[in-house]
């Protein structure tokens, strides 16, 4: 069974994709409607919006995100280091499981991390073939369950620590919001037959599909 996890970032400065409407532009309009971003077409996203579940961030996670988003003196490039580090950790976990179970990786023999940039859509996609997350994992690990690292980071920030050290507290994932106004995580794990999509615009809430 294939393990797959993808993180998709929509840049802060990304302008809405506009489609000109006119008799002479009908062909171009059709192409725009079929445009696929992060593996999802407009039709896919419309269906996801209808079936998504909305959750509120746990209070301390919300505070953490507020600090990150409003930070003025942070090296914003730190987000890439943290997300690639998370992807590498996912690969190591998958490798560990594969040692115990020869069938764990299924057809996915290459454990890898890929980084793709779409300048037109103003997006960055980070894809790894490491261990994925179930729906419960996405909800708990990325939003609602308070972790000691979250509390420790908030305490360190209150004492004047540098936000660039966020990765040391195990909450480096949220550094994605330094550069993105929307973050999408698409994940599939062996223990769950369904692929799930986590998404947030850092507005105190997130959604999970299906």
């Amino acid at each position: 069974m294939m393990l797959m996890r993808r993180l998709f970032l929509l840049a802060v400065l990304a302008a809405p994709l506009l489609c000109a409407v006119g008799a002479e532009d009908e062909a171009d309009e059709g192409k725009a409607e079929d445009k696929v971003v992060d593996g999802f077409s407009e039709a896919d996203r419309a269906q996801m919006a209808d079936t998504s579940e909305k959750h509120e961030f746990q209070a301390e996670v919300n505070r953490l995100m507020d600090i990150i988003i409003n930070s003025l003196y942070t090296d914003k490039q730190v987000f890439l280091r943290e997300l690639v580090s998370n992807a590498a950790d996912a690969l190591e976990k998958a490798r560990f499981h594969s040692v115990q179970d020869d069938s764990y990786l299924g057809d996915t023999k290459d454990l890898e991390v890929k980084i793709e940039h779409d300048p037109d859509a103003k997006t960055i996609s980070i894809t790894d073939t490491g261990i994925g997350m179930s729906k419960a994992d996405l909800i708990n690990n990325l939003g609602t369950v308070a972790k000691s690292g979250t509390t420790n980071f908030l305490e360190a920030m209150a004492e004047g620590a540098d936000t660039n050290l966020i990765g040391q507290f195990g909450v480096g994932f949220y550094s994605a919001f330094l550069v993105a106004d929307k973050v999408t995580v698409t994940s599939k794990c062996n223990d769950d037959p369904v692929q799930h999509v986590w998404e947030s615009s850092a507005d105190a809430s997130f959604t999970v599909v299906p």
Side-chain angles (χ1 to χ4, degrees):
M1 184 177 296
M2 184 176 183
L3 299 172
M4 181 64 70
R5 193 175 60 162
R6 169 175 286 189
L7 177 68
F8 164 72
L9 309 178
L10 181 61
V12 173
L13 299 179
L17 296 176
L18 300 178
C19 176
V21 179
E24 68 276 16
D25 294 327
E26 288 181 359
D28 291 337
E29 182 177 355
K31 292 180 180 178
E33 290 178 352
D34 293 334
K35 181 175 178 61
V36 175
V37 178
D38 190 38
F40 300 112
S41 66
E42 290 298 321
D44 292 333
R45 289 201 165 272
Q47 183 177 7
M48 289 165 57
D50 292 336
T51 59
S52 64
E53 298 177 3
K54 186 174 182 179
H55 300 264
E56 300 297 321
F57 278 114
Q58 193 268 346
E60 289 189 332
V61 173
N62 210 27
R63 287 177 55 203
L64 169 66
M65 293 177 67
D66 284 341
I67 290 175
I68 293 173
I69 294 170
N70 295 312
S71 177
L72 299 178
Y73 305 103
T74 299
D75 178 7
K76 296 184 182 299
Q77 294 181 2
V78 71
F79 86 94
L80 190 58
R81 179 195 70 197
E82 296 301 331
L83 299 180
V84 171
S85 177
N86 285 352
D89 288 343
L91 297 187
E92 286 303 312
K93 291 178 180 178
R95 184 177 290 111
F96 174 79
H97 285 293
S98 68
V99 171
Q100 298 179 319
D101 181 357
D102 293 338
S103 64
Y104 187 79
L105 296 179
D107 297 330
T108 308
K109 301 302 181 183
D110 295 327
L111 295 176
E112 59 185 3
V113 179
K114 293 183 179 180
I115 302 175
E116 299 174 299
H117 173 227
D118 185 337
D120 295 327
K122 292 185 171 64
T123 62
I124 296 176
S125 296
I126 302 172
T127 307
D128 69 69
T129 54
I131 190 169
M133 288 183 281
S134 65
K135 178 179 179 180
D137 291 334
L138 289 170
I139 295 173
N140 294 334
N141 295 340
L142 302 184
T144 60
V145 176
K147 296 183 178 180
S148 59
T150 306
T151 301
N152 293 340
F153 177 75
L154 292 173
E155 292 176 349
M157 286 299 299
E159 296 174 359
D162 188 348
T163 54
N164 290 331
L165 302 179
I166 185 173
Q168 297 182 13
F169 298 90
V171 289
F173 164 77
Y174 300 103
S175 64
F177 289 100
L178 284 169
V179 296
D181 61 3
K182 179 183 289 184
V183 175
T184 301
V185 179
T186 303
S187 192
K188 169 74 177 63
C189 75
N190 282 5
D191 297 329
D192 191 337
V194 180
Q195 173 180 277
H196 299 284
V197 181
W198 179 101
E199 190 168 83
S200 178
S201 299
D203 56 357
S205 66
F206 61 91
T207 60
V208 178
V209 180

